[in-house]
Amino acid sequence: MAFHFAQAIGLLVVAAIAGALNALAGGGSFISFPTLLFMGVPAVEANATNTVALWPGLAASTLAYLKRLNAPVRVLLPLLVTSVMGGWAGALLLLKTPQHTFLRLVPWLLLGGTLLFAFGNSIRAIIGKTAIVDDLHSMSLQAITLGSIAEFLVSIYGGYFGAGIGFMTLAMLALMGMRDIHAMGAIRTLLAVAINAAAVVTFVVAHAVLWPQCAVMIAGSLAGGWFGAHYAQQADPAKVRGLVIAVGVAMTAYFFITVR
């Protein structure tokens, strides 16, 4: 499909905004994914291209969390394995979904992602009251097994669409008994990278990525991510979250009205 200079500039700006939002509060896909649809990119390719384009910024953000990543291998390895397996399964499911079917699912997926983004912290707080683990090395095998199964289901959704998986993962970690939000954030980011890495490889191998659009978006998201990370401490998190939720609601309403 044709990709014009004006579209490239617009996509560069949108991807930069998405990268900044991801660095500040998350939810950048609520802007970048619909923009690809507005430009006439088929729904499945739009989702695949968006996933690949935003992944480098997500991977780069893990560097900031490495010092917080103190989970033992017996806890982390099963979660990583199920993340990769689920991300791969979700990506394959997306590729086998007909374009018209996925387009009809878009408003519902956006609605689900928006609700998770809006109420994810409340859900995580409620689940987090059920159990507490002071030392991850003492986590029971049952908790690890249940958490890995839950992560596999989260990862399928992540590979298929992905909006809101950060909050789903935090809720899963809270259910396992974790309560250190910084350690949970580090694990959440690593698992998100693993999920999307499996999806990225699957989409690239299947030739589902539109590379001209993707290259522009990678440049924009990296620039926006750097800007967002640089000014994160100066931004009001509540206002940024409110902006993301407003965009999610607007995009959800638009696609519910227009998609038939």
Side-chain angles (χ1 to χ4, degrees):
M1 61 178 294
F3 184 46
H4 304 293
F5 179 75
Q7 291 178 318
I9 297 300
L11 203 54
L12 181 70
V13 173
V14 167
I17 295 172
L21 287 177
N22 282 339
L24 290 168
S29 288
F30 292 134
I31 294 179
S32 54
F33 171 64
T35 299
L36 287 168
L37 295 180
F38 294 150
M39 290 184 175
V41 178
V44 171
E45 282 77 5
N47 193 36
T49 300
N50 183 67
T51 298
V52 175
L54 297 186
W55 185 80
L58 179 64
S61 68
T62 59
L63 297 175
Y65 282 105
L66 287 179
K67 61 183 179 181
R68 297 282 187 178
L69 195 62
N70 58 358
V73 174
R74 64 184 292 270
V75 173
L76 200 55
L77 185 59
L79 295 176
L80 282 171
V81 171
T82 51
S83 293
V84 171
M85 292 174 58
W88 173 69
L92 286 180
L93 182 62
L94 173 70
L95 294 175
K96 293 185 178 298
T97 302
Q99 294 282 357
H100 67 278
T101 300
F102 184 70
L103 187 58
R104 289 180 178 274
L105 287 174
V106 164
W108 295 100
L109 292 169
L110 287 172
L111 176 61
T114 301
L115 291 175
L116 282 170
F117 190 88
F119 301 106
N121 284 334
S122 299
I123 296 172
R124 181 184 58 79
I126 293 172
I127 295 177
K129 295 177 181 178
T130 60
I132 292 176
V133 175
D134 291 316
D135 182 6
L136 294 182
H137 291 81
S138 65
M139 182 174 291
S140 67
L141 179 61
Q142 181 182 18
I144 296 174
T145 301
L146 292 176
S148 298
I149 294 173
E151 176 60 14
F152 179 69
L153 298 176
V154 170
S155 302
I156 293 176
Y157 169 76
Y160 189 80
F161 187 62
I165 59 170
F167 292 100
M168 296 172 72
T169 303
L170 283 176
M172 178 273 297
L173 294 174
L175 187 61
M176 292 176 68
M178 299 184 194
R179 64 176 182 178
D180 183 341
I181 189 61
H182 296 296
M184 292 166 68
I187 297 174
R188 174 202 61 184
T189 304
L190 181 62
L191 296 181
V193 169
I195 293 169
N196 284 287
V200 163
V201 172
T202 305
F203 294 148
V204 170
V205 171
H207 304 289
V209 181
L210 301 182
W211 285 110
Q213 289 87 340
C214 187
V216 170
M217 292 179 69
I218 288 175
S221 65
L222 286 175
W226 178 87
F227 179 86
H230 187 69
Y231 291 99
Q233 295 181 351
Q234 302 177 28
D236 185 338
K239 290 182 179 179
V240 175
R241 281 181 55 81
L243 174 62
V244 173
I245 293 170
V247 170
V249 170
M251 292 297 100
T252 298
Y254 174 84
F255 283 102
F256 266 119
I257 294 171
T258 58
V259 172
R260 302 295 181 188

